[in-house]
Amino acid sequence: MLKKQICTPNPAMRIKNIFQYLCHLNLGTTTMKLRYLAVLTFGICTISGLRAQEKSNLIKLNLWPLAVGNISLEYERPINEHLSINGTVSYRPNASLPFKSLWESAFDDDNNILGEAKLGAFSITPEVRFYLGRKEALKGFYVAPFVKYANYNVDTKITVDESNYHREVPISGTLNAFTAGVAVGSQWRLGQDIYLDWRIIGPNYGFNHGTFDGKTPLNADEQREVKKQLDEFDSKILNIKKEVNAEGVTISTSGPFAGIRTALSLGYRF
């Protein structure tokens, strides 16, 4: 009987039924009854709140970036059956450039300045997902507008080889990029709590700003050779400015920045 009284979905009716039930119990004074009511009501509300939050979290690991040493984790939470919020955090420790053929096609680098470069990266990408089907939350085809902040760390060097000496100018710095775009994809439930998320494509466009320094004293001959190498270094996707003086090298980037997001992620709902 008690279970039937307190399981009504209406919170106000639930508390009223509990109070009426307690009035028939021999708990001593009114104060004791009120204390018992308060404790029981708090417990029921707490359990109800936990049940409402049950399995409303989905954490995912993007499988594709693992091949190049990149760890990309996602968290998704439904707002209703057709709307959710999703966030992605990605990290790559400093390591050799991945997909070197792509870098070679994007840069004119006759002196192999990027040949021994190390690249590290961090990014964070919040997005809102609109599920277009009539399925349950977190399932089906979706459209997801997003914004992305990315930070790239690059370490490389310029080598000056002359007949009577060898000189290396280490260069390091960061590039920050802010972009926005729209992704499309589909998400499936593979098991009771296991999900597969395929972000098919997510083009994004924005701007970047980067600064790279090589603080190494250079004489006139060294400056001339370094400047020659940098004049032959250019990019098809970035605006690059280069400065060489007696204190070393400064390289800066600016202007438009574009990218494409894609993912194949395995998730667990809890």
Side-chain angles (χ1 to χ4, degrees):
M1 182 64 180
L2 174 60
K3 183 177 180 181
K4 182 177 180 180
Q5 286 176 318
I6 66 175
C7 287
T8 173
N10 188 314
M13 289 298 297
R14 188 183 308 168
I15 295 173
K16 178 182 177 182
N17 291 341
I18 295 171
F19 184 77
Q20 289 176 345
Y21 176 79
L22 291 176
C23 288
H24 292 85
L25 296 179
N26 184 16
L27 295 176
T29 66
T30 302
T31 301
M32 288 296 295
K33 290 182 178 181
L34 289 175
R35 289 178 179 176
Y36 188 87
L37 173 64
V39 172
L40 187 57
T41 303
F42 176 78
I44 292 172
C45 291
T46 301
I47 293 171
S48 299
L50 291 174
R51 285 181 177 176
Q53 296 176 7
E54 187 177 10
K55 296 189 177 180
S56 58
N57 307 288
L58 180 60
I59 188 168
K60 295 173 282 188
L61 173 66
N62 189 352
L63 303 177
W64 286 341
L66 295 175
V68 293
N70 194 340
I71 300 174
S72 181
L73 295 175
E74 298 187 41
Y75 172 79
E76 186 174 4
R77 185 179 181 89
I79 304 300
N80 56 45
E81 291 183 356
H82 302 288
L83 180 67
S84 75
I85 54 174
N86 190 85
T88 303
V89 175
S90 179
Y91 172 74
R92 183 182 193 270
N94 274 25
S96 300
L97 295 178
F99 309 114
K100 285 193 175 182
S101 59
L102 294 178
W103 291 89
E104 291 171 357
S105 65
F107 288 86
D108 296 324
D109 187 15
D110 294 338
N111 296 287
N112 202 30
I113 293 175
L114 295 179
E116 298 183 24
K118 304 292 184 181
L119 173 69
F122 169 81
S123 69
I124 182 168
T125 312
E127 66 183 61
V128 179
R129 290 189 172 187
F130 298 91
Y131 287 90
L132 305 183
R134 294 187 177 181
K135 301 179 180 180
E136 64 185 76
L138 306 181
K139 283 181 62 179
F141 184 81
Y142 61 81
V143 176
F146 64 88
V147 293
K148 179 179 181 179
Y149 163 73
N151 174 273
Y152 302 95
N153 299 303
V154 178
D155 297 299
T156 189
K157 62 184 179 181
I158 296 177
T159 302
V160 178
D161 274 317
E162 296 295 337
S163 57
N164 55 346
Y165 70 91
H166 174 88
R167 187 71 178 274
E168 292 183 348
V169 181
I171 298 175
S172 62
T174 61
L175 183 149
N176 295 298
F178 296 88
T179 58
V182 178
V184 295
S186 189
Q187 188 158 261
W188 300 270
R189 187 173 66 179
L190 302 181
Q192 183 176 358
D193 299 316
I194 305 301
Y195 284 73
L196 182 67
D197 180 11
W198 179 27
R199 183 183 294 109
I200 301 170
I201 192 169
N204 51 95
Y205 186 82
F207 62 91
N208 83 92
H209 177 76
T211 302
F212 306 88
D213 294 311
K215 297 299 183 181
T216 303
L218 300 172
N219 61 37
D221 292 335
E222 292 168 341
Q223 292 178 50
R224 190 179 307 109
E225 177 60 26
V226 170
K227 187 176 185 306
K228 177 183 176 183
Q229 292 191 29
L230 287 177
D231 286 343
E232 296 172 353
F233 178 79
D234 205 353
S235 171
K236 302 178 179 66
I237 58 175
L238 297 174
N239 296 327
I240 301 178
K241 293 182 179 180
K242 296 154 281 190
E243 182 181 351
V244 181
N245 54 40
E247 297 179 353
V249 177
T250 300
I251 302 173
S252 61
T253 68
S254 62
F257 193 88
I260 294 178
R261 295 180 69 212
T262 185
L264 184 67
S265 302
L266 194 62
Y268 175 72
R269 188 172 182 175
F270 61 97

